[in-house]
Amino acid sequence: KITATAEAANRQELLLRLKDRGLTVFEIRELKNTESSKRTARKGSLQFDLLTRRNIPTEDMAMFWRQFATMVSSGLPIIEALEAVADELDHPFFKATLEQVAADMWDGRNFSQSLSQHKQVFPLMTIALVAAAEESGSLPAIAREIATFLENRDRLIRKVKAALAYPIFLSAFFLCVVAVATFWIIPMFRDIYEG
């Protein structure tokens, strides 16, 4: 058993370096006693807090589950699949979330436990489905089902929005006509009758 200190850009890089040396990692603890690491940690948490305010589009989430299912069913390990999908994402908050999920898995948590650390992104139903899939060994199938559900929900929302567009336009037009009549046309007639 070896205890040592090493510098690395992130946990994954350090784990890969140690793995290449033939070592098995039991625990990685970040040292935060230097001023530079404190500044980096503050900056990282600030960026994360700012990014959490952005919503993740449903199509991005569905695409993630679809790609993840394809990669895992082809035999790629879950962590590598997560990192591969995260590399392709444009959404900064979602990308950072997936990288954190992968980092949690490198630390020894399973997939559902890592997802449960990000309940603002992954709903409880999704986490529960993933936990059940891990137990039954049907993770690719469940991931595909989640993707299909999200795609169908997104399609339904778009249809409802499209169906409501015309009634909303008519209502807004009617309100404009009533406002013009009330504040411009009726006062004009009142002046005529007074005259």
Side-chain angles (χ1 to χ4, degrees):
K1 191 173 178 182
I2 303 164
T3 304
T5 306
E7 274 189 36
N10 54 40
R11 286 172 182 258
Q12 290 94 324
E13 183 188 311
L14 182 59
L15 279 163
L16 290 171
R17 276 199 337 229
L18 295 171
K19 219 174 170 184
D20 290 341
R21 291 185 194 172
L23 298 170
T24 303
V25 179
F26 288 105
E27 183 183 7
I28 293 178
R29 215 177 295 152
E30 190 177 346
L31 298 176
K32 296 192 177 185
N33 53 359
T34 61
E35 192 57 39
S36 63
S37 65
K38 283 179 185 173
R39 275 200 306 272
T40 307
R42 273 201 304 272
K43 185 181 171 191
S45 66
L46 176 64
Q47 285 176 337
F48 194 73
D49 289 343
L50 288 172
L51 291 170
T52 53
R53 295 183 188 137
R54 299 181 188 173
N55 290 330
I56 298 167
T58 307
E59 56 266 24
D60 284 3
M61 186 67 79
M63 186 186 72
F64 157 68
W65 284 112
R66 183 77 60 200
Q67 289 178 341
F68 176 78
T70 305
M71 289 180 183
V72 172
S73 61
S74 67
L76 201 66
I78 293 173
I79 300 176
E80 290 179 28
L82 281 170
E83 290 172 343
V85 175
D87 286 342
E88 294 175 14
L89 287 172
D90 294 327
H91 196 284
F93 172 55
F94 195 25
K95 184 174 187 157
T97 302
L98 291 180
E99 287 169 353
Q100 187 58 52
V101 169
D104 289 343
M105 290 188 71
W106 280 112
D107 285 343
R109 291 190 180 104
N110 63 27
F111 188 34
S112 59
Q113 288 171 339
S114 302
L115 291 180
S116 67
Q117 304 298 312
H118 306 280
K119 289 177 183 167
Q120 76 276 19
V121 176
F122 301 101
L124 290 173
M125 183 190 77
T126 301
I127 296 166
L129 284 170
V130 169
E134 283 177 319
E135 292 293 324
S136 63
S138 58
L139 189 57
I142 292 296
R144 274 192 288 273
E145 289 296 323
I146 293 169
T148 304
F149 167 74
L150 290 170
E151 287 162 356
N152 290 341
R153 188 182 69 175
D154 191 46
R155 203 174 298 119
L156 179 65
I157 289 169
R158 284 171 195 241
K159 281 182 182 177
V160 169
K161 282 181 180 175
L164 288 174
Y166 186 64
I168 288 170
F169 169 74
L170 283 181
S171 301
F173 182 73
F174 178 73
L175 287 173
C176 287
V177 169
V178 169
V180 167
T182 304
F183 297 110
W184 188 63
I185 296 173
I186 292 173
M188 191 169 66
F189 279 110
R190 187 189 63 198
D191 293 341
I192 292 169
Y193 286 132
E194 282 178 356

